[in-house]
Each structure stands twice: as C-alpha cells, then as structure tokens.
Amino acid sequence: MDNANNSEMNTDCKYITRLEDNTFVLNTFNTTYAFRVMDNCKYLEHLYYGRKIHLNTADGLVEQHAFAPGNTIVYETGCDSFSLEDVCLEMSSLGKGDIREPFIEAVLSDGSTTLDFKFEKAAVVKGKKALKTLPSSYDENEEACQLIIDMVDDNNSINVSLLYSVFPSKDVIVRSTLVYNAGKEPLRITRIMSNHLDLNTSDYVFTRFSGAWAREMSRHDTLLNCGKIVNSSFTGTSSNRANPFVMLSKENTTEDHGECIGFNLIYSGNHYEAAEVNSFGKTRFVQGINPQNFEYLLLPEESFEAPEAVMSYAAGGFNSLSHNMHSFIRENIVRGSYKKKERPVLLNSWEAAYFDINKSGLVKLAKEGKSVGIELFVMDDGWFGDRNDDSHSLGDWEVNEKKLPGGLAGIANEIKKLGMDFGIWVEPEMISVQSELFKKHPEWVMDIPGKPHSEGRNQRILDLCNKEVQDFIIESMTKVFSSADISYVKWDMNRIISDYYSRTLSSDRQKEAGHRYVLGLYRCMDELTRRFPDILFEGCASGGNRFDLGILCYFPQIWASDNTDAICRTEIQTGYSYGYPQSVVAAHVSSIPNHQTLRKTPLDTRFNVAAFGVLGYECNLCDMKKEDKEAIAKQISLYKEWRSVLQFGSLYRNDTDDNQTQWTVVSEDKKRAVGLNLQKLVTPNWQYAQYIAKGLDEEALYSFYNNEIKINIKEFGDLINTVVPVHIRQDSFVHNVAAQFVKMDSAKEDHKMFGDALMYSGVKLKQGFSGTGYNGEVRYFQDFCSQLFLMECADTRM
C-alpha cells in the first residue's frame, strides 16, 4: 500500500477531511486550514489558512514550480523543480535545503544533525485526547476532533507525530508534537517546536506583548519584510518580558477590520516565538519551548511531548480574534468549580500592612472590609516562620503563633464570623537561605554545588526536578490548606531562575532542568487542585511573570501585575485583553499615591479600570476617609449587580489614540453592557467627547446612563471664590469643612437609543470642562478621569 494512502479517517468527524489528492482540510465554523502530502518527496506542503472556503481538491492552491531557484539545494534527484527553501511546509528540519527556522533539531549518535521526515500515515479521532506529561486543552461538549499525522525519518529511526485538534465553534486549532526514538541509539533533541505556520507572503505585522515587572503586556508592532523577529523568555517562566501570546496581522488591521492570526502556548516555562521572512518573501512562524539552553536525551523507545500551541484566525479584526481566544480559554482551558462561577470581591492585606501583620490588626481591617461589602479577606505574606522581611523563612510553612494566636484556624474563624471567606498567600516554590528548611535540606536548592549563586529577591528556588521536593511541596501545602477553613490561595513566585542546574540530573542532562522544573510544578499544582477542588487558586509571579495558559489549566485566575496604578493598569489590561478574557485577570483598587508610581488618580477611575477584571481591593480601609469608604461601598454594590457581565461578557476595544481608552463588555444575551471612557491628560478648551458602544443588538432599544458620582469642591481649587460670597483659602479649615458638606454634581447621561445608533453613531456626551463655567451639564473630565456607562435593554431596566 502507498504510504500516502495509509490512514484511518473517522467519518464521524465532519470538520476534518482527507481529499482524494492527499489534501487534508481542517474546518471550523469560520476558517479553513489545508495542507497536502507532496507527491515527490512526501513532505507536507502548507496550502491555506484563512476564511472558510470550499475545497474538493488542492487545485489552484499548490505553488507551481518548474525549476529550483539559483543557489539553493534541491531535495533529491528527481525533485529538482523546487527547493524546500521556497516551499510552505507544515514542519521543517535542517540538511535538506530548508535553511529557515527549523521545527525540530537533534544530534544523532554519530554527531550529525541532518533530519528527513516523510509522511507515513494519518488518523482522525473524535474528541480531544489529553497530553500525558503536560496540561492541555479539553472538550466537554464533544465537538472537537483530532488529526494525527505520523512523519518518519527512516534514515535515523525517528518518528514525529503532528497532532491537530480542531475546536469548530471557537475557530481554534491546537497543535502539538510527539517525538519517538524508534532506533537503537540515544537521540539528543536540541529543538522541538509545537507550532509551525508558513505563509506565502511577507505583508504581515508581528505583534508582541513585552515589558518588565510592573509594566507587563506593552504592545509592540513590527512590520515583517525581511529577517527574523524573536519573542522569547529565558526566565524559567513564561515571563513579563515577553508573553507567549502573539499575533500576525495584515497591515492596517484594526480592532474591527482586517485579517489576523493569534498564537499562544500552553506552557509556563521558557518559550520561543519567531517570525521570519526569507529571501523569497515567505513568512514562517514557529512557537514552542525556547531552544536556548534546552536539550532532551531520548533513549531508545522513549518519547517526548511538546506543549500544545493554540492558534486562531479572524477576518474581522482584533476584537474578533480576541473573542475566539476568550471563548476557548473559558471553555477549553479553565476548569474546576470556578470555571463559570462568579469570583468574589476580595480585600488583600499586602499594601495595608506588608509584613507587619498581627491577628487583631487583620481582624480590624477585615471588619472595615465587611462594612463596605467585601466577600473574601486575604492574608498576604508575613504569617509564617520568622517572616518579617523578604530574606527569611520561605519554606518554613508553620504559622507564627506570636502574630496569629490560635494559628490559621483562629484567624480564619474570626473572618468567617464576620460573614466573609478567608484566603492566604503562599510561595511554595521558594526557599530562604535563612530558614529551617535550608538548614535541613541545602541540597534541595536549584544552584550549582561549590559555585557562587546569583540571588534574586533574597531567596532561592527549590529544585522541582527533584520528586522529593515536589512531595514536600504537596504535603506541606496540604497541611496548610487543611489546617483552617481556607477558600482562596494566592500562589506566588517572586524570582526568576539563574542556575539551570539540578542535583538529580547527570551532567549530560542538565539542559533538561528548565523543562523538568515546569513538569514538577505542574505535578504539584495538579495534585493540590485535585485535593482541594473548592479552593479558588490565583496564580501570581511578581505580578504577571507567569501569566499563561499552562497556569490557567490549574488556576482560574492570575494576578496581572503588581502595579495597581489605574493608568498603567489600563494599558496592562488592554494588552492582556487581546489574548485573555477578563475573567482570568485579577485587578485591584489601591490607595494613592500609588505604591508603584506615586501617581494620584481618582478613586472612581481606580474602580472603573479594576472592574473590567476580577475585582479586589488592596488598601488600608482602617485609615481611609469616611467619604472614600462610602464611595467604595457603592462601587462594590454596583460591581456585584453587574459582575456577571463584567467577568464573563464579551469585551470590545475601541480604536482610540494613546490618550484615550474605550472598552465595552456585553452580556451573552446582549441585554446588558458596561462601557468605559478614560483619558490620561486633559486637552485645554476641548469640550467634545463621544462614546461608541460595540457588540450590542442592533434592533434592541437600550437605556444608556452613567454611573453618577459627586465631585469634591476642592478639585476646583480657589475657583470656588468666583461663586462664594466670602474668600476661602485653599486647604484651610473652612475649605476642608465646606468640602465635607458641599459636593458638585457630575454631568448626567440618560438616553434611550437603539443598539445600532449606540454603535454606529455613538453617544455625544455632555461638554467637558473648558475653563468657562461649571454646572450639572458640564462633564468633569480632567487628568486621569473616567466614566462608567451602563446599558440595559429598555424593557429590562428596573
């Protein structure tokens, strides 16, 4: 039998078909992905990825070649009409003419590196199989299908399986790779990608989301015309430097128009994304484990699984692409009891107390939280061992009874009596040199014996390659989580890896340490979430240093950034929104001046931004002014009323300039929506503003109104002397007293408009303050100000 016809095709799966000319077609509701087995060399030629099209053959999609380009390598005698350097492929390797970014690299037993994979067989299975060693996507609705392509290098006895999982209603395709050593000699893998996409042209923009601590997810667009652009992490985590979510788009693509493709990786370690344009104008994109400092030794009959890679195409701009990704993450990545459950509004103790915590102070803070509507009180760092600063006691997970008489159960019971749930902070992967654990087990640390270690945040990393260390983490955390009525756990990781070294690995396998660390982490997370299925786990790594789909397979939400400044958070949350739904993004309201930027922003702006995520507060309510606490109580009440929309609705971004941000989030039934309009800096003598909604039902009639607030007269400075009969000095006793009793009304918006009018015409807002007068018809909209708009179908508004 011809290998090209050797396959097992499941006819129950209508979304994957194999045509008579050995073309494979993967369809979703709105997209088509196609490739074929090349007749001459049995390589896989990529044909198409884009809008859904009808195919009965590959006629017209196959690139035509008669003679290979000059100064190139032809694959073999009889295949001299082309070079693999000028063909769009599904996978690639070095040595046979393709000199672009390879999909796989390996060192063979004789030291050679040339690989040659040819198609052997294909199979289609109904459903979605889970990976054995890594977290992976899943399908509860039984709509997914999986195509398995087996490629074989007969010269070197290596098998590679290419797995394509189709999620039709999400317009998502998930790829992964399995390498099997079928030979009799060891095989050293030095690169293995999870995704590989070749495109015929180079008119694409490569979008990355990079940054650092406290400034995650800054969007950067680069036009691809020649050379290579790399987005990668070498921190041991997915990192705040370069998130694994990236995009390719046609030039001039906007939020609502144009073609774009999104990519992500279900992995929490060092990753690699590269977009390369070669000498013939073809674009290649690859994604997978970062090959830097990576090797994996495969003994005979052993296999290696690469992480799953996610991709989605959209023809309707970035918002459409985001909706594909958001829906996929909510339905096919996040799992457990909180998958579709509304998340509680929490109060975290960190910025109120830092390490200086005690039971009475925490209970006092919790009481203030209860008075404004907080549902979950979280005790952050400082509750264990001699943890009075960041240089002590990590690994010593015994409660400090001096700070917390009665232990965790005691403080938890006090919080529960107030009618709130209780949560704690842990950092299980870390160890302090000044700890009892380090004294007992210095060999558990990830460092190089006998050589100086480069420190990070006064702590070291436990060697999760070591199963004994994994067992310690699992059992010590089990003891903590079961010692009290704990409803929430914030799992932190506050440094990056410096020494990629494990005492459990031999010298020739040390380059496996980075990947094996991630596997050890996943084992710990998997076991603990199974043991405690009702705990709400939140991932954290110095904020967004490990914000990825791998973590979201275990924890339904992640702390997006340690930076709670509302203006910074607007940019950070906008960045996340391209690839991640707001239901997985934790966002807090904090005090001013902000602890990361010293910027002062209005309280309503801090809330308005944080509300477009999983809302929490991180401020000292005990020291807060009465009017601010009253405002917070109203904020929380409003959030609870609109929580289902804000956490699980469809988010839309408007195309705006750098000074303005507009978001809209719409309920699934399109009957309710919330909008945000925010500006960074005021423009003098500029009265006009417009809010444009998105995602509404065109024919529905909506009530559109704003969340009204009162304006402190002190915001107008000594301008009040233009309207009062006596002179009032700024910040004087009289000024402060007057400010307590006299508030200015904010401009009120109240309209009834059809959905199409709200989206295509927009709402022309009350005029902005321009220095010529102020009353209830003027919008107070100065530096860092924002407005929250509420939209309800007119027949549902109370």
Side-chain angles (χ1 to χ4, degrees):
M1 179 181 292
D2 188 327
N3 280 346
N5 293 315
N6 182 15
S7 66
E8 298 176 14
M9 304 299 288
N10 188 328
T11 57
D12 292 334
C13 185
K14 62 182 179 180
Y15 299 105
I16 300 175
T17 56
R18 182 176 185 176
L19 306 180
E20 291 183 0
D21 59 354
N22 284 321
T23 298
F24 294 89
V25 181
L26 287 64
N27 284 316
T28 69
F29 284 5
N30 299 291
T31 71
T32 295
Y33 185 102
F35 60 91
R36 72 170 185 126
V37 180
M38 299 173 69
D39 294 331
N40 35 25
C41 64
K42 305 305 180 188
Y43 272 48
L44 301 181
E45 179 183 3
H46 178 78
L47 301 176
Y48 177 81
Y49 186 36
R51 291 174 184 263
K52 190 171 185 177
I53 58 176
H54 295 88
L55 294 173
N56 56 12
T57 70
D59 186 28
L61 272 66
V62 177
E63 187 171 353
Q64 304 298 304
H65 295 278
F67 300 95
N71 194 222
T72 62
I73 302 296
V74 294
Y75 174 67
E76 63 184 7
T77 302
C79 296
D80 52 3
S81 64
F82 67 93
S83 170
L84 292 176
E85 185 182 349
D86 191 28
V87 176
C88 290
L89 300 171
E90 284 295 301
M91 68 169 291
S92 59
S93 57
L94 301 178
K96 292 297 180 180
D98 188 354
I99 59 173
R100 293 167 289 177
E101 280 275 324
F103 182 77
I104 182 172
E105 291 183 274
V107 180
L108 305 167
S109 59
D110 62 0
S112 65
T113 56
T114 294
L115 302 174
D116 185 17
F117 290 96
K118 299 182 180 182
F119 176 83
E120 182 184 37
K121 63 181 179 179
V124 174
V125 295
K126 180 70 175 171
K128 168 62 175 65
K129 292 183 178 180
L131 298 186
K132 295 179 180 179
T133 63
L134 289 160
S136 53
S137 55
Y138 70 104
D139 175 34
E140 289 182 329
N141 299 323
E142 299 183 350
E143 69 164 12
C145 294
Q146 193 171 57
L147 170 65
I148 304 169
I149 300 287
D150 288 334
M151 307 289 288
V152 175
D153 182 340
D154 286 326
N155 298 317
N156 300 300
S157 300
I158 308 170
N159 299 346
V160 168
S161 294
L162 305 177
L163 288 78
Y164 300 78
S165 299
V166 179
F167 293 82
S169 65
K170 311 301 189 302
D171 287 331
V172 162
I173 295 173
V174 174
R175 284 192 60 173
S176 58
T177 313
L178 179 69
V179 183
Y180 176 73
N181 183 359
K184 297 180 180 180
E185 299 293 335
L187 171 70
R188 190 173 297 276
I189 301 171
T190 57
R191 167 193 283 243
I192 181 64
M193 294 290 107
S194 299
N195 199 357
H196 179 291
L197 179 65
D198 282 357
L199 302 165
N200 289 96
T201 60
S202 61
D203 53 341
Y204 290 92
V205 174
F206 188 35
T207 299
R208 297 160 290 152
F209 297 88
S210 60
W213 175 77
R215 47 184 173 86
E216 293 88 344
M217 295 300 288
S218 177
R219 177 179 166 176
H220 296 276
D221 296 335
T222 305
L223 178 63
L224 297 174
N225 47 36
C226 68
K228 183 191 307 180
I229 303 295
V230 172
N231 180 78
S232 66
S233 161
F234 192 64
T235 61
T237 62
S238 50
S239 93
N240 47 35
R241 279 76 162 174
N243 194 271
F245 174 75
V246 296
M247 300 186 295
L248 285 175
S249 60
K250 294 288 189 177
E251 273 196 272
N252 303 316
T253 296
T254 67
E255 295 292 358
D256 299 307
H257 302 281
E259 295 181 273
C260 47
I261 308 171
F263 306 91
N264 211 332
L265 193 67
I266 307 178
Y267 191 62
S268 305
N270 296 331
H271 61 89
Y272 181 86
E273 295 77 37
E276 178 184 20
V277 175
N278 74 350
S279 301
F280 304 103
K282 287 180 168 61
T283 298
R284 170 167 292 176
F285 173 82
V286 295
Q287 182 173 41
I289 296 172
N290 192 341
Q292 181 178 346
N293 204 52
F294 169 82
E295 287 184 1
Y296 206 93
L297 182 64
L298 275 189
L299 300 178
E301 299 185 3
E302 287 186 344
S303 60
F304 179 86
E305 279 185 323
E308 287 189 344
V310 180
M311 63 178 170
S312 180
Y313 167 90
F318 298 123
N319 275 323
S320 293
L321 175 62
S322 295
H323 295 159
N324 294 347
M325 288 295 190
H326 293 186
S327 178
F328 175 76
I329 291 171
R330 284 174 171 148
E331 291 293 331
N332 306 107
I333 293 293
V334 174
R335 60 206 77 192
S337 60
Y338 275 92
K339 175 177 178 175
K340 297 182 178 180
K341 187 176 180 180
E342 293 181 14
R343 316 290 164 71
V345 180
L346 66 80
L347 173 63
N348 186 292
S349 69
W350 180 242
E351 289 194 6
Y354 289 96
F355 295 103
D356 187 20
I357 64 171
N358 57 72
K359 184 175 183 178
S360 61
L362 291 172
V363 171
K364 182 180 179 182
L365 180 62
K367 287 180 178 178
E368 293 292 339
K370 177 63 177 178
S371 71
V372 297
I374 294 293
E375 298 165 314
L376 166 65
F377 180 78
V378 179
M379 178 177 65
D380 209 278
D381 201 352
W383 58 267
F384 54 92
D386 294 322
R387 187 71 170 169
N388 297 309
D389 56 40
D390 63 11
S391 64
H392 290 77
S393 297
L394 286 173
D396 298 342
W397 300 108
E398 299 290 338
V399 67
N400 186 320
E401 293 276 355
K402 292 181 179 179
K403 292 184 177 182
L404 300 174
L408 290 179
I411 182 68
N413 291 339
E414 291 291 333
I415 302 303
K416 297 293 286 190
K417 288 178 184 177
L418 296 174
M420 290 185 292
D421 287 331
F422 174 71
I424 61 169
W425 173 98
V426 293
E427 194 172 5
E429 302 160 67
M430 297 295 148
I431 184 171
S432 302
V433 173
Q434 299 183 68
S435 68
E436 294 303 314
L437 182 64
F438 186 82
K439 292 177 184 177
K440 186 177 180 181
H441 288 292
E443 78 282 3
W444 282 3
V445 174
M446 199 173 223
D447 60 9
I448 304 173
K451 295 183 180 180
H453 178 71
S454 295
E455 213 72 284
R457 203 192 181 234
N458 299 310
Q459 61 194 53
R460 297 189 182 184
I461 300 178
L462 287 170
D463 179 10
L464 269 69
C465 304
N466 186 340
K467 186 175 183 297
E468 191 177 0
V469 172
Q470 298 169 26
D471 291 341
F472 167 78
I473 290 175
I474 292 168
E475 296 309 321
S476 61
M477 290 298 104
T478 295
K479 182 179 178 182
V480 170
F481 300 161
S482 59
S483 67
D485 191 352
I486 294 172
S487 302
Y488 163 101
V489 169
K490 184 177 182 180
W491 182 304
D492 211 342
M493 190 235 194
N494 278 309
R495 67 155 288 179
I496 64 176
I497 295 177
S498 50
D499 292 327
Y500 286 93
Y501 189 90
S502 170
R503 290 171 174 83
T504 64
L505 299 175
S506 58
S507 59
D508 63 339
R509 305 194 79 146
Q510 286 301 327
K511 288 187 177 182
E512 299 177 15
H515 179 65
R516 288 186 179 274
Y517 179 94
V518 176
L519 296 181
L521 172 67
Y522 288 151
R523 176 177 175 246
C524 295
M525 290 181 168
D526 182 66
E527 182 61 31
L528 287 167
T529 52
R530 289 179 187 276
R531 291 187 184 187
F532 300 94
D534 296 323
I535 286 181
L536 171 59
F537 285 89
E538 178 173 308
C540 178
S542 297
N545 197 45
R546 197 164 60 189
F547 200 112
D548 58 69
L549 300 185
I551 297 300
L552 289 173
C553 286
Y554 303 103
F555 301 165
Q557 61 191 56
I558 303 175
W559 179 231
S561 175
D562 283 348
N563 188 348
T564 54
D565 176 272
I567 301 305
C568 294
R569 266 306 186 112
T570 303
E571 298 174 4
I572 291 168
Q573 289 173 218
T574 294
Y576 279 120
S577 74
Y578 283 93
Y580 303 92
Q582 62 274 21
S583 57
V584 306
V585 179
H588 292 180
V589 175
S590 61
S591 60
I592 55 169
N594 178 267
H595 290 203
Q596 292 77 47
T597 64
L598 297 181
R599 180 162 30 213
K600 296 181 179 180
T601 55
L603 179 58
D604 58 291
T605 291
R606 283 174 269 157
F607 165 73
N608 291 347
V609 174
F612 282 79
V614 180
L615 177 67
Y617 287 78
E618 194 159 340
C619 43
N620 193 342
L621 295 174
C622 298
D623 293 345
M624 192 169 283
K625 292 183 292 186
K626 179 182 177 182
E627 64 183 79
D628 285 343
K629 285 191 282 190
E630 291 174 347
I632 288 175
K634 292 179 180 178
Q635 291 173 354
I636 294 174
S637 177
L638 179 71
Y639 183 80
K640 290 176 181 177
E641 182 182 351
W642 290 84
R643 173 161 42 192
S644 63
V645 180
L646 288 161
Q647 291 185 2
F648 295 102
S650 296
L651 179 69
Y652 296 81
R653 299 170 300 270
N654 281 11
D655 288 301
T656 54
D657 58 34
D658 289 340
N659 196 49
Q660 184 183 31
T661 298
Q662 286 192 354
W663 297 332
T664 306
V665 62
V666 185
S667 65
E668 185 177 1
D669 61 8
K670 299 190 176 185
K671 291 185 176 181
R672 307 176 82 210
V674 182
L676 172 74
N677 182 40
L678 178 146
Q679 76 174 4
K680 293 180 183 176
L681 301 176
V682 68
T683 301
N685 193 30
W686 193 270
Q687 298 184 355
Y688 178 77
Q690 182 184 35
Y691 166 77
I692 298 175
K694 290 185 178 180
L696 304 178
D697 182 342
E698 293 186 359
E699 297 182 357
L701 181 65
Y702 290 87
S703 291
F704 175 96
Y705 56 103
N706 61 323
N707 180 32
E708 295 181 57
I709 60 172
K710 295 290 186 178
I711 309 298
N712 191 322
I713 61 170
K714 296 182 72 174
E715 298 294 334
F716 295 89
D718 59 9
L719 278 175
I720 64 169
N721 288 313
T722 63
V723 294
V724 296
V726 296
H727 183 81
I728 298 178
R729 182 169 56 86
Q730 283 195 78
D731 294 323
S732 64
F733 174 77
V734 174
H735 196 194
N736 289 327
V737 170
Q740 293 182 30
F741 296 99
V742 181
K743 306 293 181 185
M744 302 290 285
D745 291 326
S746 60
K748 183 178 180 181
E749 303 287 350
D750 195 355
H751 307 279
K752 280 190 169 54
M753 300 174 66
F754 284 97
D756 53 4
L758 282 165
M759 293 188 292
Y760 308 137
S761 172
V763 180
K764 295 178 175 62
L765 305 173
K766 297 286 177 67
Q767 76 151 74
F769 176 78
S770 58
T772 56
Y774 185 87
N775 60 23
E777 297 301 309
V778 174
R779 186 167 37 91
Y780 179 86
F781 208 63
Q782 309 316 112
D783 290 352
F784 316 133
C785 278
S786 64
Q787 291 173 287
L788 203 64
F789 302 118
L790 307 173
M791 288 156 274
E792 299 178 85
C793 281
D795 59 348
T796 63
R797 182 178 176 185
M798 300 299 291

